[in-house]
Amino acid sequence: MRIGIDRMAFATTNDYLDLVELAKERGVDPNKFTIGIGQDLQAVVPSTQDIVTLGATAAKKLLTPELEKNISTVIVATESGIDNSKASAIYIKHLLGLSDFTRTLEMKEACYSATAAIQFAKGVVALNPQETVLVIAADIARYGLNTPGEVTQGAGAVAMLISRNPHILTLEDTTVAYSKDIMDFWRPLYATEALVDGKYSTNVYIEFFLQTFTRYQQLTGRELADFAALTFHIPFTKMGKKGLEGLLKDRNDEVAQRLRTQLTASQLFSRQVGNLYTGSLYLSLMSLLQNSDLRAGSRIGLFSYGSGAEGEFYTGILEDGYEHYMNNIQEELKHRHQVSVAEYEKLFSSQLGMNDRDIEFDVTTDPLPFVLKGQKDHQRIYEAK
């Protein structure tokens, strides 16, 4: 039985920041951001949006009444949880109007957990072939104003349906997971912004990619020539390049050139949105599929990484007509609204965060279909517009 990704959809906020403008305001050479880090634009989050609204918006784009009938499970992968107990998946399931006979849960392991959710979903479908699992990777990457990590912030959600006979990518059986207790990135319970050792984390990322890919080769006997493309978790696009070059080194033959070209295609959307944490790998996959000319039957490698640290390398085979089962991301990104650095800073500081007060937000200007209206009696209030 073939099991894999049947449909995909992406959602982000309506506001974005030009990182050239941010660089000028911070007194930094813009090339450090656009070339050194590899980022151009960054999603900016208004107070009326969080992982629940973004996740529900992404899922709404791919659901139909017929598809909803087969959804048995909703899994939200995130490191931006809004409650230490209640799963964000329950809120999203309610906003989408899914059946109460639906399993809902939330998974966490930094940026890796969406991959764990997909593997979990694959097992559910293998046991119950008539069922479909809705996996949502939703995150808001925050490092703080005027911090070294500020340029690698971002927000968005990728929603995926995992089912038998998928229309986008059939997942192959061999996967390699690798984990170590490493403090390269973390966020204590008392903090709304992450702590990160950037250079160390980059080195760990490369090590985990090489470890998992080498082990995959040992298990399968496959070579680089067997891959049409490799996709990476890219919290910033230069990270994926570092991973690929760590593997290719000085190699410059036809295979290496192809993989570099496809890597560029996979980076385009992330350059315009920023860091999605759990969703970054899957936005990379969508970018590859919408900005390249890959054919059905192509093998794609996926490297997932989450600080702390865990990595996994796995593969999928591209299905015929895959392009018809995703939303057109580039077209949607054209309609966003640019904010100034001052507006961005105001919006950054307006997030609900760990606030325990009753608060009501003005949702009239937010164009997304789901909004966070505020908080009352310690309960978040959502609305489907």
Side-chain angles (χ1 to χ4, degrees):
M1 178 172 55
R2 295 185 300 107
I3 301 173
I5 302 174
D6 183 60
R7 283 167 171 77
M8 302 183 77
F10 169 71
T12 188
T13 62
N14 189 55
D15 298 325
Y16 73 90
L17 175 67
D18 188 324
L19 293 180
V20 171
E21 297 301 315
L22 180 65
K24 292 176 180 177
E25 182 69 24
R26 300 293 186 250
V28 175
D29 180 354
N31 287 336
K32 181 177 181 180
F33 290 176
T34 60
I35 298 175
I37 300 295
Q39 297 299 125
D40 296 322
L41 309 175
Q42 183 179 104
V44 174
V45 186
S47 57
T48 49
Q49 293 295 320
D50 66 5
I51 61 165
V52 169
T53 59
L54 291 170
T57 298
K60 182 180 175 65
K61 294 180 181 182
L62 55 70
L63 291 179
T64 66
E66 190 61 32
L67 291 171
E68 290 175 8
K69 294 177 183 178
N70 296 324
I71 294 176
S72 67
T73 305
V74 179
I75 309 174
V76 174
T78 187
E79 55 180 281
S80 311
I82 60 167
D83 191 285
N84 286 328
S85 177
K86 187 174 180 178
S88 52
I90 294 179
Y91 293 100
I92 292 176
K93 169 249 169 186
H94 173 72
L95 287 173
L96 295 173
L98 299 178
S99 168
D100 287 346
F101 293 99
T102 303
R103 181 187 298 111
T104 55
L105 66 152
E106 184 173 305
M107 301 186 74
K108 179 181 74 177
E109 190 350 78
C111 302
Y112 163 76
S113 59
T115 298
I118 288 174
Q119 299 298 352
F120 179 100
K122 184 179 177 183
V124 170
V125 176
L127 290 173
N128 305 281
Q130 75 283 3
E131 296 183 5
T132 297
V133 179
L134 172 59
V135 172
I136 300 171
D139 266 305
I140 297 172
R142 288 172 60 96
Y143 295 97
L145 303 176
N146 284 290
T147 64
E150 183 177 30
V151 67
T152 62
Q153 298 178 139
V158 176
M160 297 169 277
L161 291 182
I162 309 301
S163 73
R164 65 176 175 175
N165 301 325
H167 286 100
I168 296 179
L169 196 71
T170 292
L171 302 180
E172 295 188 288
D173 289 338
T174 302
T175 71
V176 178
Y178 186 79
S179 62
K180 285 185 176 181
D181 185 2
I182 291 174
M183 297 301 289
D184 61 329
F185 171 107
W186 67 103
R187 182 167 68 83
L189 290 176
Y190 52 79
T192 57
E193 283 81 47
L195 303 172
V196 60
D197 185 338
K199 290 184 179 180
Y200 179 46
S201 188
T202 297
N203 291 335
V204 174
Y205 173 101
I206 296 170
E207 176 199 346
F208 275 46
F209 170 56
L210 296 178
Q211 289 280 4
T212 55
F213 186 78
T214 299
R215 178 62 174 164
Y216 175 86
Q217 288 186 301
Q218 293 170 347
L219 294 173
T220 64
R222 293 184 180 128
E223 302 294 335
L224 277 176
D226 295 315
F227 294 90
L230 297 177
T231 55
F232 293 82
H233 163 59
I234 42 177
F236 55 94
T237 62
K238 198 66 173 287
M239 184 78 102
K241 178 177 174 59
K242 288 177 181 290
L244 182 61
E245 294 303 327
L247 178 65
L248 297 179
K249 301 187 186 306
D250 295 328
R251 184 169 171 173
N252 200 31
D253 57 16
E254 181 181 349
V255 171
Q257 291 177 15
R258 182 184 74 241
L259 294 177
R260 290 188 177 105
T261 297
Q262 301 294 20
L263 175 67
T264 298
S266 74
Q267 294 171 323
L268 294 178
F269 294 155
S270 292
R271 291 190 71 98
Q272 301 176 63
V273 176
N275 193 351
L276 300 191
Y277 285 160
T278 54
S280 291
L281 170 60
Y282 300 99
L283 180 59
S284 171
L285 175 61
M286 294 184 75
S287 184
L288 171 71
L289 299 184
Q290 295 188 19
N291 293 291
S292 66
D293 56 356
L294 292 176
R295 298 180 179 179
S298 296
R299 175 175 288 110
I300 298 173
L302 299 96
F303 173 62
S304 179
Y305 176 78
S307 294
E310 184 149 3
E312 184 163 342
F313 184 84
Y314 70 111
T315 59
I317 303 298
L318 203 55
E319 293 295 327
D320 187 34
Y322 64 87
E323 64 273 14
H324 301 300
Y325 296 90
M326 299 175 283
N327 64 311
N328 186 327
I329 296 176
Q330 188 58 61
E331 184 61 30
E332 293 182 7
L333 292 178
K334 292 178 182 178
H335 301 289
R336 293 183 298 168
H337 168 252
Q338 182 177 345
V339 299
S340 67
V341 174
E343 289 172 315
Y344 144 71
E345 291 178 340
K346 182 178 179 181
L347 289 170
F348 186 92
S349 301
S350 71
Q351 296 292 296
L352 185 56
M354 294 186 176
N355 199 326
D356 63 356
R357 296 183 294 110
D358 287 354
I359 189 168
E360 185 173 352
F361 297 129
D362 179 6
V363 301
T364 57
T365 60
D366 193 322
L368 269 64
F370 303 101
V371 291
L372 172 63
K373 293 186 65 177
Q375 181 172 268
K376 186 174 182 180
D377 297 330
H378 306 286
Q379 300 176 40
R380 291 194 177 210
I381 310 298
Y382 295 100
E383 178 181 275
K385 297 179 71 177

